[in-house]
């Protein structure tokens, strides 16, 4: 129940006018008072109050109320006014009622006659619903009021339909009775929303205590000062038992939204069908189209168009927008309007709205939003709009909207080829929102027959396996192989074996219908797969390089797949062709991003991060793994690839010196399904390296041997992939297990020489040097010489530091000094990294800066700008222009211009002199971080 007096809160001015009209009636003065405004503003409550006041003063009161159900019933309101009272027939009542018709206005003459004996007040509520005959009758009465002691009180939502019958504010009739002129007082009252003070009073009255400032302001804002909505919301809030405090504002907003929605439902049920149709059209596209277009969509009858806008605004459900627009007042109103529609009508309305928006040249994203709820349009433009909207959503990283748009496009009529390619695009987009659904969609495409779909099948297999290759996809791939011909068959075979190279599953049956990879394939896709296979086996370095390069040649249908080329890049990296691999990885990344293939982009970025880590650039590797995480968060990675991605992230954090991030990554739970995969071996290896850094050799040995068992089970013996033997030898040496340490290190060196890549040989020589008792310095010098000419800077830095430590331990300080200087040069761009910290520790043991650095700054160095100094330093440290451009996030042309300016200021001719100059100043003022 509402508290007493609450519906009339803030209506004191209106009550004064009504009271004056009732008082005038006691002295036989006629009057007309109209009450108009938004639904819920208290028109009917004021009428009831005035009628009660008149009854208390002994005046006759006749009541009527318009209703939607009687709006077409002739004289329905007149019958309510002139019929006998419910309890007893009164002698003063009109005897005949409307049934005794006298001309076009039944009962009107009798009412005017009896009013002289007993002044009468007519209270007519909801005038907007009056039937036409009753409205004409009431207008006729108003025109005759100057001659009778009658007061008419009329209330309506929106404008009062008595305007034509009302005279000016005060009219004096020439007619009189008993020689006394009768004047007609006319008052037009428009009820306003409640103001802040009135809202505050309502809060106090309903909630039983004064509301705090933010709470009261929120109550006014969310209810828009509508008394009915305000009372309902406050009553519901009071029922919760909470105080009207500021910390309860969120709860109040939720309650007010529900009350507003309920108010919308009541208002909808009290509106004519044309107005409801327009409200529904506004809910669908009112924010996209102007009101005339929205009205066209609703198709109201001409007789309703004139006052339709005023009627809608009076409901409290709409408000004027920019220009001539009309908007719904809130999302809760929109939701309730749409909920009240039958589903088929709603879908049809959205479809017609989309067609109208398309003709009005509305943006694709807005039309697509309409199409998502619409029935199929059956027109080509709908598919084009949805595809464009899906692409724009992908570029904006709004994957939910992209998936919804593309899935909706599939509901339109499409030919078989169009449907297949659209399904392929949708499956690629579903990697974040619904990866399992995407895999099923990929599998369906793989099983699609027809030579015209060969390219789509290849693309589906490539993208599906880039995500990880679920069992559903692998089964579909093997199902597709028997029917494939020519280039498609060779490419599918390559993709199948690439998926199998990273896993070992005892439950897999031998699939005799899948041919093995040929030893010397001519297909680009098979060349990439075979190159990676040879690299993993550690066999035939020259053939591996040649096959990896041929993976990037050939026709687009066979050479355009991503996975074989990524495998070729990884093979090139293990074969010490990291510069070439880096260029190819950049190309692959550009393609993956262009095609919105997030799983593929994540895979490429992780591989590039691994490569940059091997090159001794943890800063660039850190950038890559961060970008990989943005492309596809680790929580969405397939179990086949997730361990590899986390392994690279762990090693990057470890080498970057970020112990907090390293610990966080180590604490993540391990996916059990990954341990029989190559990726699982990577994760075990990374964990072991952290344990070695933490001084836990026993724990490291267990992890390294477990990683080795997994690789041996897969028959991958190349130490360039993971040098687990040399790292296990290092841990064994720390525990005093020298015999095992020597066995493991010698085995790795033999396998590295069999492979033939200098970096793998150098790393193995470093491993032997670490565990050697005799001739340790000589072995480490050999490792340094081997690694110096390779791109494996991380291994080279490690060898330099091991040799410098041995030289310092032996008291050969002069021999250690250039080694430490070289490490400082190589780590100068990453001062916070673990190698840089170890280099500083070695320099402290040396007791002074390396001798190459004590000669101080070149006199012209200070003339360089900051950007020139940093660019020149990186160039002097031996880095190429492309690397410097990546490091500084500029173009290579910018690097060239900066170096040209630096050469002029330093009065040198080129990079060779710059290198000597930077080396002479190294350790003094050449920090580029």
């Amino acid at each position: 129940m509402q508290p007493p007096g609450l519906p009339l809160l803030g209506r004191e001015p209106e009550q004064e006018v009504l009271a004056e009209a009732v008082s005038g009636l006691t002295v036989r003065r006629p009057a007309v008072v109209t009450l108009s405004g938004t639904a819920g503003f208290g028109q009917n409550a004021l009428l009831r109050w005035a009628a009660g006041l008149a009854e208390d003063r002994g005046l006759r009161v006749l009541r009527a109320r318009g209703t939607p159900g009687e709006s077409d019933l002739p004289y329905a309101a007149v019958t309510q006014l002139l019929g006998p009272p419910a309890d007893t027939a009164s002698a003063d009542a009109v005897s005949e009622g409307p049934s005794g018709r006298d001309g076009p206005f039944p009962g009107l003459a009798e009412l005017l006659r009896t009013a002289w004996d007993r002044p009468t007040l007519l209270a007519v509520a909801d005038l907007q619903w009056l039937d036409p005959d009753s409205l004409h009758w009431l207008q006729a009465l108003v025109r005759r009021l100057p001659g009778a002691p009658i007061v008419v009180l009329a209330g309506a939502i929106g404008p009062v339909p008595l305007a034509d019958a009302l005279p000016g504010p005060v009219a004096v009739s020439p007619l009189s009775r008993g020689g006394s002129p009768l004047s007609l007082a006319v008052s037009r009252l428009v009820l306003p929303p409640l103001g802040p003070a009135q809202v505050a009073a309502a809060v106090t009255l309903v909630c039983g205590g004064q509301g705090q400032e933010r709470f009261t302001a929120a109550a006014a804002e969310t209810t828009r000062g509508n008394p009915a909505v305000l009372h309902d919301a406050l009553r519901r809030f009071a029922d919760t038992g909470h105080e009207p405090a500021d910390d309860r504002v969120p709860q109040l907003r939720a309650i007010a939204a529900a009350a507003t929605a309920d108010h919308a439902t009541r208002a909808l049920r009290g509106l004519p069908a044309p107005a409801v149709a327009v409200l529904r059209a506004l809910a669908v596209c009112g924010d996209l189209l102007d009101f005339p277009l929205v009205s066209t969509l609703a198709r109201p009858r001409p007789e309703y168009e004139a006052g339709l806008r005023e009627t809608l605004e009076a409901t409290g459900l709409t408000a004027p927008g920019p220009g001539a627009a009309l908007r719904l007042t809130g999302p809760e109103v929109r939701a309730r309007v749409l909920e009240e529609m039958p589903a088929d009508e709603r879908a049809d309305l959205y479809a017609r709205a989309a067609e109208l928006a398309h003709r009005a040249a509305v943006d694709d994203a807005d039309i697509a939003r309409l199409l998502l709820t619409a029935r199929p349009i059956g027109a080509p433009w709908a598919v084009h709009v949805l595809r464009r909207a899906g692409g724009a959503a992908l570029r904006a990283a709004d994957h939910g909207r992209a998936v919804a748009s593309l899935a909706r496009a599939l509901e339109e009529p499409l030919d078989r080829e169009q449907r297949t390619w659209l399904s392929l695009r949708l499956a690629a987009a579903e990697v974040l929102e619904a990866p399992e659904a995407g895999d099923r969609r990929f599998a369906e495409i793989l099983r699609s027959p027809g030579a015209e779909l060969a390219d789509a099948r290849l693309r589906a297999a490539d993208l599906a396996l880039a995500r990880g290759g679920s069992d559903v996809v692998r089964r579909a791939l093997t199902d597709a192989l028997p029917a494939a011909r020519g280039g498609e068959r060779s490419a599918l075979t390559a993709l199948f074996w690439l998926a199998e190279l990273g896993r070992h599953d005892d439950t897999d049956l031998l699939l005799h219908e899948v041919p093995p990879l040929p030893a010397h394939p001519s297909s680009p896709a098979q060349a990439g797969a075979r190159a990676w296979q040879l690299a993993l086996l550690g066999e035939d370095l020259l053939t591996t390089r040649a096959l990896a390069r041929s993976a990037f040649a050939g026709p687009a249908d066979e050479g355009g797949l991503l996975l074989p080329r990524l495998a070729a890049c990884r093979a090139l990296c293990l074969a010490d062709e990291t510069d070439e691999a880096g260029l190819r990885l950049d190309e692959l990344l550009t393609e993956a991003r262009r095609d919105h293939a997030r799983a593929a982009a994540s895979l490429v970025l992780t591989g590039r991060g691994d490569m940059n880590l091997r090159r001794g650039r943890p800063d660039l590797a850190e950038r890559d793994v961060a970008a990989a995480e943005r492309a596809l968060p680790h929580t969405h990675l397939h179990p086949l690839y997730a361990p590899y991605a986390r392994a690279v992230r762990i090693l990057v954090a470890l080498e970057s010196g970020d112990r907090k991030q390293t610990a966080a990554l180590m604490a993540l739970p391990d996916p059990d399904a990954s341990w029989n995969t190559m990726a699982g071996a990577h994760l075990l290896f990374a964990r072991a390296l952290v344990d070695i850094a933490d001084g836990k050799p026993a724990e490291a040995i267990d992890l390294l041997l477990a990683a080795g068992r997994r690789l041996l089970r897969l028959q991958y013996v190349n130490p360039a992939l993971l040098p687990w033997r040399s790292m296990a030898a290092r841990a064994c040496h720390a525990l005093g297990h020298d015999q095992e340490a020597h066995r493991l290190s010698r085995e790795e060196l033999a396998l590295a020489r069999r492979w033939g890549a200098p970096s793998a040989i150098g790393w193995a020589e470093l491993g032997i040097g670490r565990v050697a008792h005799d001739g340790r310095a000589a072995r480490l010098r050999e490792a340094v010489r081997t690694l110096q000419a390779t791109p494996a800077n991380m291994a080279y830095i490690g060898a330099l530091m091991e040799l410098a430590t041995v030289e310092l331990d032996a008291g050969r300080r002069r021999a250690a000094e250039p080694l430490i200087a070289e490490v400082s040069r190589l780590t100068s761009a990453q001062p916070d990294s673990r190698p840089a910290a170890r280099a500083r520790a070695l320099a402290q043991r040396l007791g002074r800066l390396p001798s190459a650095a004590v000669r101080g700054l070149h006199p012209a160095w200070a003339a360089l700008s900051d950007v020139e100094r940093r660019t020149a330093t990186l160039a002097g440290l031996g880095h190429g222009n492309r690397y410097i451009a990546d490091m500084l996030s500029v173009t290579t042309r910018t690097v060239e211009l900066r170096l040209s300016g630096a050469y002029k200021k330093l009065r040198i001719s080129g990079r060779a002199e710059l290198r000597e100059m930077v080396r002479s100043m190294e350790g003094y003022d050449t920090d580029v971080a």
Side-chain angles (χ1 to χ4, degrees):
M1 280 184 65
Q2 292 179 339
L6 191 57
L8 300 179
L9 184 66
R11 299 304 183 213
E12 291 82 6
E14 290 79 9
Q15 287 178 286
E16 289 183 11
V17 174
L18 292 170
E20 184 178 353
V22 172
S23 299
L25 185 58
T26 60
V27 295
R28 298 176 177 274
R29 184 170 65 243
V32 176
V33 181
T34 63
L35 299 166
S36 62
T38 301
F41 274 30
Q43 298 93 316
N44 292 349
L46 285 168
L47 290 178
R48 288 193 297 270
W49 177 84
L53 183 63
E55 287 176 335
D56 291 342
R57 298 187 181 185
L59 300 172
R60 181 172 63 168
V61 176
L62 303 178
R63 294 181 175 87
R65 182 176 182 177
T67 60
E70 296 182 346
S71 59
D72 294 326
L73 184 63
Y75 295 106
V78 176
T79 300
Q80 294 181 52
L81 286 170
L82 303 184
D87 52 352
T88 180
S90 171
D92 295 326
V94 179
S95 60
E96 295 284 332
S99 58
R101 297 188 176 183
D102 47 350
F105 305 113
L108 180 58
E110 183 67 12
L111 173 64
L112 292 170
R113 181 184 63 79
T114 57
W116 286 106
D117 298 324
R118 188 175 181 184
T120 303
L121 182 142
L122 277 69
V124 185
D126 291 330
L127 232 64
Q128 74 278 0
W129 283 112
L130 249 61
D131 61 275
D133 292 320
S134 294
L135 181 60
H136 294 156
W137 187 94
L138 192 61
Q139 290 171 337
L141 171 63
V142 169
R143 284 192 292 269
R144 291 164 172 77
L145 279 187
I150 296 176
V151 168
V152 175
L153 307 182
I157 295 174
V160 178
L162 290 176
D164 295 339
L166 290 176
V170 177
V172 178
S173 172
L175 302 175
S176 64
R177 186 179 177 95
S180 174
L182 297 174
S183 60
L184 176 64
V186 177
S187 299
R188 300 179 177 87
L189 305 181
V190 180
L191 303 182
L194 298 182
Q198 296 157 345
V199 172
V203 171
T204 302
L205 185 60
V206 177
C207 298
Q210 185 174 0
Q212 294 183 350
E213 183 177 355
R214 281 183 50 234
F215 183 93
T216 303
E221 174 196 348
T222 54
T223 63
R224 299 177 181 85
N226 187 309
V229 179
L230 176 66
H231 300 160
D232 190 11
L234 291 178
R235 186 181 70 254
R236 297 186 192 187
F237 179 83
D239 290 343
T240 66
H242 296 302
E243 297 294 327
D246 289 347
D247 59 351
R248 295 293 177 181
V249 167
Q251 188 174 5
L252 172 68
R253 289 184 182 278
I255 291 174
T260 301
D262 292 343
H263 170 76
T265 300
R266 291 190 295 270
L268 281 171
R269 293 169 182 169
L271 284 176
V276 173
V278 174
L279 275 176
R280 290 173 173 176
L282 283 172
V284 169
C285 59
D287 54 340
L288 303 179
L289 303 174
D290 292 334
F291 185 69
L293 285 177
V294 174
S295 297
T296 301
L297 183 65
R299 296 182 290 211
R301 296 199 301 270
E303 61 267 24
Y304 285 99
E305 289 184 359
L308 192 56
R309 187 183 182 102
E310 292 77 8
T311 299
L312 292 175
E313 291 184 13
T315 63
L317 306 181
T318 66
L326 192 66
R327 300 284 186 264
L328 296 181
T329 52
E332 62 279 355
V333 173
R334 178 178 181 274
R336 189 57 61 91
V337 169
L338 294 176
E339 286 172 5
E340 294 291 314
M341 290 186 70
D344 56 342
E345 292 182 20
R346 183 166 58 246
D348 180 71
L349 179 59
Y350 269 99
R352 290 190 289 111
E355 293 178 12
L356 185 59
H358 175 65
R359 292 198 298 270
V362 174
D363 290 342
D364 287 342
D366 293 323
I367 301 176
R369 179 172 59 81
L370 297 174
L371 289 171
L372 290 179
T373 314
R375 56 165 171 74
I377 300 295
W381 66 262
V383 177
H384 298 324
V385 166
L386 288 164
R387 285 178 63 106
R388 290 195 299 267
L394 284 173
R395 289 190 292 274
D398 189 348
H399 304 98
R401 186 160 57 92
V403 168
S405 297
L406 296 174
R408 173 61 183 81
L410 285 174
E411 297 177 11
E412 294 291 329
L414 297 166
D415 63 41
R416 185 164 171 265
E417 191 169 358
Q418 285 178 321
R419 183 171 299 279
T420 299
W421 281 103
L422 190 56
S423 296
L424 180 62
R425 191 172 185 181
L426 173 58
E430 286 176 325
V431 65
L432 279 179
E433 298 297 317
E436 292 81 8
D439 285 342
R440 290 192 296 271
R441 209 177 298 276
F442 282 133
E444 182 181 350
I445 295 170
L446 279 169
R447 292 190 174 99
S448 300
E452 72 280 6
L453 299 181
D455 290 344
R457 288 192 292 269
L458 285 177
R459 184 65 174 157
D462 194 32
L463 292 176
L465 295 176
R467 199 191 80 77
S470 66
D471 292 338
V472 172
V473 171
R474 293 169 66 212
R475 283 194 296 270
L477 181 56
T478 56
D479 292 343
L481 267 168
R485 296 291 182 269
E488 181 190 2
R489 182 173 178 83
S490 63
L492 287 178
T493 301
L495 290 171
F496 174 84
W497 287 114
L498 280 175
E500 295 302 307
L501 287 176
R503 64 198 301 160
H504 185 285
D505 193 341
D506 291 334
T507 63
D508 278 354
L509 299 176
L510 293 176
L511 303 172
H512 61 275
E513 66 270 21
V514 182
L517 290 172
H520 300 284
S522 58
S523 161
Q526 289 192 354
R530 178 60 176 165
W532 183 230
Q533 186 182 54
L534 289 175
L536 293 173
L537 298 173
E539 298 176 354
D540 202 342
L541 177 64
L542 295 180
T543 301
T544 299
R545 287 173 175 164
L547 287 173
R549 287 170 178 141
S550 65
F552 294 92
D557 59 341
E558 297 182 33
L561 298 179
L562 185 141
L563 275 185
R565 289 182 291 160
L566 177 58
C569 288
R570 297 185 70 181
L572 287 172
C573 184
L574 297 190
D576 283 357
E577 300 294 343
T578 54
D579 288 341
E580 184 177 355
L583 289 172
R584 296 301 188 182
L585 285 171
D586 292 346
E587 294 173 5
L588 293 181
L589 181 59
T590 300
E591 290 182 26
R593 285 174 168 168
R594 180 196 62 204
D595 297 337
H596 307 292
R598 299 182 69 85
S602 175
L603 201 57
V604 172
L605 285 163
T606 302
R608 195 172 72 174
D610 189 1
M611 183 191 69
N612 281 324
L613 195 60
R614 293 170 181 264
R615 295 164 71 180
R617 291 310 309 265
D619 53 337
L620 296 181
E622 186 174 17
R623 181 194 64 183
D624 287 334
V625 297
E629 176 71 12
R630 290 193 298 271
L632 190 65
H634 69 275
T635 53
H636 291 75
L637 290 173
H638 191 275
L640 183 65
Y641 293 149
Y644 172 62
R646 193 178 347 147
V648 175
R649 292 174 66 199
I650 288 173
L651 293 177
V652 168
L654 177 65
E655 293 302 315
S656 298
D658 190 343
R659 299 296 296 170
K660 183 177 180 181
Q661 177 69 3
T662 304
L665 291 168
M666 291 283 285
L668 291 175
D670 296 326
D672 294 335
S674 72
W675 296 125
N676 284 330
T677 65
M678 183 169 58
H682 275 276
L683 183 54
L684 291 170
F685 181 80
R687 287 183 171 278
L689 263 58
V690 174
D691 284 340
I692 290 175
D694 291 342
K696 302 176 182 177
E699 291 86 342
I701 289 175
D702 291 339
L703 293 172
L704 289 165
L705 294 180
R709 285 193 296 271
R710 280 147 182 79
L711 292 178
L712 291 175
R713 196 174 186 183
L714 293 164
Q715 300 181 16
Y716 301 154
V717 298
N718 192 347
L721 178 66
L722 287 178
W724 61 271
R725 296 173 182 83
S726 59
M727 298 308 298
R730 180 180 178 182
C732 288
H733 179 68
L735 293 173
H737 305 158
D738 292 342
Q739 185 176 356
E740 180 66 8
H742 284 90
R743 184 189 69 80
L744 289 168
S745 59
R746 286 194 301 269
E747 183 179 328
E748 180 163 309
L749 181 58
L751 291 169
R753 286 173 175 166
R754 173 191 167 193
W755 170 234
S759 62
I761 296 172
W763 185 276
E765 291 173 344
L766 172 59
I768 287 181
R770 280 171 169 159
V771 301
H773 287 298
D774 300 324
R776 186 176 184 188
R779 290 184 178 275
L780 289 173
R781 290 190 192 99
E782 183 64 25
V784 167
R785 281 193 296 270
T786 303
L787 290 168
Q788 187 174 17
T790 73
N793 276 348
M794 186 171 72
Y796 178 48
I797 291 170
L800 287 170
M801 288 190 292
E802 291 288 346
L803 181 56
T805 302
V806 170
E807 300 289 15
L808 286 175
D809 291 343
R812 296 188 289 268
R813 302 169 64 83
R814 291 180 63 85
E817 185 175 343
L819 300 173
I820 298 173
E822 179 72 356
V823 173
S824 298
R825 179 184 74 82
L826 293 172
T827 60
S828 59
Q830 309 98 40
D832 296 328
S833 66
R834 192 165 66 117
R838 292 183 61 191
R840 287 192 294 270
L842 288 173
Q844 289 176 358
R845 283 191 62 187
L846 191 64
R848 62 179 184 274
L849 291 174
S851 59
V854 299
R855 285 170 287 195
L857 286 173
H858 188 282
W861 191 257
L864 302 181
S865 66
D866 289 341
V867 293
E868 287 175 336
R869 188 179 301 119
R870 194 170 188 214
T871 304
T873 299
L874 289 170
L877 292 174
H879 301 302
N881 287 359
R882 182 174 173 277
Y883 170 85
I884 297 173
D886 289 342
M887 177 70 181
L888 302 181
S889 299
V890 297
T891 64
T892 54
R893 178 59 179 163
T894 300
V895 173
E896 293 169 359
L897 292 174
R898 289 179 183 176
L899 288 177
S900 297
Y903 295 158
K904 291 179 181 178
K905 293 178 182 179
L906 296 173
R907 298 180 182 274
I908 58 177
S909 59
R911 195 175 292 249
E913 293 180 62
L914 179 63
R915 187 177 295 113
E916 289 300 322
M917 182 180 296
V918 170
R919 289 195 178 194
S920 70
M921 298 184 297
E922 196 166 21
Y924 188 81
D925 187 27
T926 55
D927 184 8
V928 296

